[in-house]
């Protein structure tokens, strides 16, 4: 049974979103979010951080690494994360057979946190009721992980058009408020569902 989940994130908006989301997903399981200064900082420090964990990580703890894809090559970024864990001597979900325990699971947010918000538009509407309900049916937004031109910029445009954030999107406030309404069981973002599936897998540990 999972006792504790350590989550490594690259920025404060994701930290705020997870603080609202993880208690509903993990129930009584303890969690700790460790935030780095940025994506480059996380990737730079990750090998040493994982090597440290490998010296003492209890068998009923797991580490989740969450990184935005941004403009990175998804396969290359995943490989970099996997190598960091492998070189630290930690087993990743990718490297074990189905049903076998692992110590690290790497998940890439495509392309960034705001895709998860487009994936649950009802959550956005609960916080910002003037946004059009039809956004998920419009071609540019049908696939939250394929929104072009930057996901947070797209969200900012939609919110501004509805009369919110006239001077610019306050990402932290937005993340905190929308995440508190996200339904983990009903999100159209594939990267969110990969994240949720990883959570479900570790929660199923006996």
């Amino acid at each position: 049974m999972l006792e504790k989940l350590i989550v490594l994130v690259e920025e404060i908006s994701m930290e705020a979103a997870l603080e609202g989301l993880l208690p509903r997903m993990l129930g009584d399981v303890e969690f700790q979010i460790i935030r780095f200064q940025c994506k480059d900082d996380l990737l730079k420090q990750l090998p040493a951080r994982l090597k440290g964990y490998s010296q003492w990580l209890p068998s009923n703890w797991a580490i989740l690494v969450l990184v935005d894809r941004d403009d990175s090559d998804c396969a290359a970024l995943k490989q970099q994360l996997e190598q960091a864990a492998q070189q630290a001597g930690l087993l990743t979900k990718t490297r074990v057979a189905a049903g076998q325990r692992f110590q690290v699971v790497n998940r890439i947010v495509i392309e960034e946190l705001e895709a998860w918000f487009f994936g649950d538009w009802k959550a956005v509407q609960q916080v910002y009721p003037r946004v059009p309900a039809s956004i998920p049916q419009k071609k540019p937004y049908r696939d939250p992980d394929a929104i072009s031109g930057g996901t947070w910029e797209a969200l900012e445009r939609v919110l501004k058009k509805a009369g919110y954030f006239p001077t610019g999107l306050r990402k932290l406030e937005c993340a905190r408020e929308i995440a508190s309404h996200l339904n983990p069981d009903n999100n159209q973002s594939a990267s969110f569902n990969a994240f949720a599936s990883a959570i479900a897998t570790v929660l199923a540990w006996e």
Side-chain angles (χ1 to χ4, degrees):
M1 186 174 180
L2 181 69
E3 181 179 312
K4 182 170 180 175
L5 181 67
I6 299 173
V7 188
L8 308 184
V9 302
E10 65 178 61
E11 49 95 21
I12 194 169
S13 296
M14 179 60 84
E15 179 185 35
L18 293 180
E19 285 174 345
L21 192 56
L22 284 178
R24 285 180 284 130
M25 300 180 75
L26 291 172
D28 293 332
V29 173
E30 185 182 355
F31 69 90
Q32 178 184 11
I33 302 170
I34 297 174
R35 170 173 52 87
F36 293 81
Q37 293 180 6
C38 61
K39 179 178 177 180
D40 287 345
D41 184 43
L42 184 154
L43 294 175
K44 181 180 178 181
Q45 294 197 45
L46 185 63
R49 172 77 66 160
L50 292 180
K51 192 171 183 179
Y53 286 134
S54 71
Q55 305 301 310
W56 60 267
L57 193 75
S59 61
N60 56 354
W61 289 28
I63 300 166
L64 169 62
V65 182
L66 265 180
V67 179
D68 289 355
R69 187 196 67 183
D70 299 319
D71 295 325
S72 301
D73 178 275
C74 194
L77 179 58
K78 182 68 179 291
Q79 183 63 21
Q80 182 177 359
L81 299 175
E82 290 290 320
Q83 283 182 349
Q86 186 174 357
Q87 289 169 1
L90 295 169
L91 276 177
T92 67
K93 186 176 186 298
T94 303
R95 295 176 55 216
V96 302
Q100 186 180 351
R101 282 201 184 200
F102 51 85
Q103 295 159 297
V104 177
V105 56
N106 296 305
R107 285 293 176 262
I108 296 172
V109 184
I110 300 175
E111 68 184 53
E112 52 199 357
L113 172 64
E114 286 74 13
W116 293 5
F117 303 157
F118 277 105
D120 184 356
W121 198 244
K122 287 184 179 178
V124 178
Q125 286 184 283
Q126 285 182 274
V127 182
Y128 307 107
R130 294 197 300 273
V131 297
S134 60
I135 287 294
Q137 284 77 51
K138 294 184 177 180
K139 189 176 179 180
Y141 310 109
R142 283 179 196 155
D143 181 351
D145 292 354
I147 294 172
S148 62
T151 316
W152 81 260
E153 291 91 339
L155 182 61
E156 181 182 62
R157 285 194 299 273
V158 172
L159 290 173
K160 273 188 170 181
K161 197 170 181 180
Y164 301 100
F165 301 109
T167 59
L169 183 66
R170 295 188 293 277
K171 293 181 68 175
L172 179 58
E173 172 189 323
C174 190
R176 183 176 290 125
E177 295 193 3
I178 295 175
S180 67
H181 294 279
L182 284 180
N183 179 355
D185 299 321
N186 187 21
N187 198 300
Q188 300 304 308
S189 163
S191 67
F192 178 88
N193 290 325
F195 156 77
S197 175
I199 298 285
T201 299
V202 293
L203 286 177
W205 285 357
E206 294 182 352

